Amino acid sequence: MLKNISNIIKLFLKNKIITENNLDFAKILLKKKEKLLILIIATLHAEMKQGSSCLPIENILKKIKKQVPKNKKKKITKINILKSLLKFNMVSIYSENNITPIIIFNNKIYLYKIWKMENKIAKFLNVNKKNNYINYKKLKININNLFNKIDKNLKIAAKLAITKKITFIMGGPGTGKTTLIKKIIILLIYNAKKKINIKLATPTGKSAAKLTEEINKKIINKKITIKNKKYIPKQAYTIHTLIGLDYYKNNIYYKKENKLNIDVLIIDESSMLDMQIISNIISAIPINTQIIFIGDKDQLDPIGIGNILSDIYTLKKNKQNKSYINNKKNFKKNYKFNTLCNNIHILKKNYRFKKNSDIAKMAKAINSNNIIKVKNLLNSNTKNIKLINVNKKNNYLILINKFIKIYKKILNMLQNKKPVINIINYLNKYQLLCALKKGNFGTKKINNDIKSILIEKKLINYKSKMNKWYIGQPIIITKNNYNLKIYNGNIGIILLDKNKKPNIFLKKKQKNIKKIPIEFIKHYKSAWSITVHKAQGSEFEKVSLILPNEHIPILNKKLIYTAITRAKKKIIIYTNKKTLYKSIKYYIKRNTGLTEQINRSYKKEKIIF
């Protein structure tokens, strides 16, 4: 079929379809120099590095055809690629009786271990049981007492979460997800027939700390009986802590042979979950554990392989049985139409933004790829959203000088002996976000530029050889420290304490401050600017987003959406129109077979040649 594969490999490298790293991976895995297989596995590895679990044969077909002359394209077909691949002993069409390192499943090429993980998740999600420990007679009364008539959307979500073994609840910022978690916990406690063990978990330490604060603030203040208070989860855990992941020993404490004692697991920020984390969770929990996934499907994709919320959302495109979720009788029985697509609910009403909020309109336009609406919003001279061309040096200096003014204000507040909480609250009103860490538009350069101007204006006395910090410097924690209870992504400020010694001050609760001597913390960076990834789960009154002046693959719809929805009142985007519009249009969906595996009901795979 393909005679000169070596040339195609060179073209794949030249056009950045694969890298030398992908090629090395394929050569190590295969050992023998089978060039076609090396090409396929290197391309599969490149896809996996981008978060896909598999390589659709259609995709590799298109990539190869682009690299060969027109007169040879007709000979390169799907059936020819399949036949060529199946000549190798390492490759097979999936069958329970014939497991090979590389398998073809539903016209997709997988590493077997990745397919196995995806299949494990699909089987887990496809289990359809009702919750036997719920008192259904009390449920209707308690739900009606807990929700207002206007909260119908939240009410349906709560019904599903309480009655189903597995539930997915998705919604953007301000749609009431945290409030819903609180009410779900109350309903679970009040409607349980027995003692109930509820656990809260999130992927990151920062989001776990934030959720702990919110739950304690909102639930503990409710009128809950002393008898029931002991069932309220006192804190949210990171998933790694919950399952007992030991990075140094590469071991997980809670797994198949040693399960966690959990009746209900609620996972917030589920958009960050990759396949490996979900697989570890499944191994760690008992088979009857109820699990509730909550998150925003439109935020940034997970760092690892997979994208569970986006995959599960595609099931919503199936005909969801609306009469099912509105009929209270159906919550008591297992109907044959009670499939996973009926356990998914989207929160649409926004409680954070006003009805005519420009930021909410912009977020919606980005998600729907409505460039015309984005253009109209930017051209409407609204005060809440602005686009400024960063190519012009003067505009960049204006941006930098905004943060010099913020620093001057901090110095003024220090001179006037304002409370530390006031200084932190002022600092947290503004945040500069970047897509990149390095380069002219990255956090490293911007933070250094701000520091250089502060030194030039003699606002700080900074001796780089002696100190890595200066008074009034905003910082971001870059590594979890469970002993100090500070987490990757926490933002604070360096100030002197009463003894004139430098401390990092962090906001813990609404009016509480945590201070830690600076010598106790090794992992932190300047935070005048931070990446959009680090800002996930945070919100600020005013956000400035700076993007490169040319489009690069990291600039996509989800990154722009995530950045914009960090702002509560105002967003200023520093780039040119061409780059912004291209970024909003650009998004490469990850290739997975999860929904297909859920839908196929585990029948024997058939591939048509």
Side-chain angles (χ1 to χ4, degrees), residues 118-325:
E118 189 175 85
N119 183 256
K120 173 184 175 181
I121 295 166
K123 284 183 177 179
F124 173 79
L125 295 176
N126 219 36
V127 172
N128 189 33
K129 291 181 179 179
K130 68 172 185 175
N131 293 326
N132 294 320
Y133 55 81
I134 291 295
N135 186 327
Y136 289 93
K137 289 181 181 178
K138 290 166 64 177
L139 181 59
K140 183 185 175 183
I141 298 167
N142 288 327
I143 282 183
N144 289 336
N145 288 339
L146 205 56
F147 290 92
N148 300 323
K149 288 182 180 179
I150 57 171
D151 290 336
K152 187 178 178 181
N153 202 251
L154 290 173
K155 192 175 178 180
I156 291 171
K159 274 185 181 183
L160 288 173
I162 298 299
T163 57
K164 298 294 141 202
K165 183 180 181 288
I166 298 167
T167 316
F168 286 88
I169 298 167
M170 307 178 205
T175 51
K177 295 189 296 291
T178 305
T179 299
L180 183 62
I181 291 172
K182 173 198 71 172
K183 294 190 176 185
I184 286 170
I185 291 169
I186 294 169
L187 286 169
L188 284 166
I189 292 168
Y190 274 137
N191 292 283
K193 293 178 182 176
K194 57 169 188 171
K195 295 177 182 178
I196 189 167
N197 188 356
I198 306 166
K199 296 288 185 190
L200 299 173
T202 74
T204 67
K206 182 179 78 169
S207 56
K210 186 179 177 182
L211 184 58
T212 298
E213 182 185 330
E214 289 294 319
I215 293 302
N216 277 278
K217 181 174 71 179
K218 291 182 177 180
I219 289 189
I220 302 303
N221 293 337
K222 284 277 175 185
K223 292 180 181 178
I224 295 177
T225 62
I226 295 171
K227 180 185 173 183
N228 286 328
K229 269 187 180 179
K230 61 184 178 183
Y231 301 125
I232 298 170
K234 298 296 184 292
Q235 73 173 94
Y237 299 90
T238 63
I239 291 167
H240 294 141
T241 302
L242 184 72
I243 64 176
L245 176 63
D246 188 328
Y247 281 109
Y248 300 105
K249 294 181 181 178
N250 194 25
N251 183 49
I252 297 172
Y253 185 74
Y254 293 105
K255 47 191 173 184
K256 195 173 182 180
E257 308 81 21
N258 182 35
K259 300 283 188 180
L260 281 160
N261 178 26
I262 301 180
D263 294 313
V264 183
L265 176 59
I266 302 172
I267 302 179
D268 196 17
E269 300 287 359
S270 292
S271 62
M272 298 184 191
L273 300 178
D274 61 39
M275 275 174 50
Q276 185 64 65
I277 294 172
I278 298 166
S279 178
N280 291 340
I281 292 166
I282 293 167
S283 296
I285 61 175
I287 195 168
N288 291 322
T289 297
Q290 178 185 1
I291 187 163
I292 302 163
F293 296 94
I294 297 176
D296 182 356
K297 66 178 177 62
D298 298 312
Q299 283 203 39
L300 291 167
D301 292 332
I303 293 171
I305 292 172
N307 191 355
I308 190 165
L309 287 195
S310 289
D311 282 340
I312 294 301
Y313 181 70
T314 61
L315 292 174
K316 279 284 291 179
K317 293 176 183 177
N318 297 340
K319 291 183 179 179
Q320 189 182 42
N321 187 350
K322 291 185 179 179
S323 63
Y324 174 84
I325 59 175

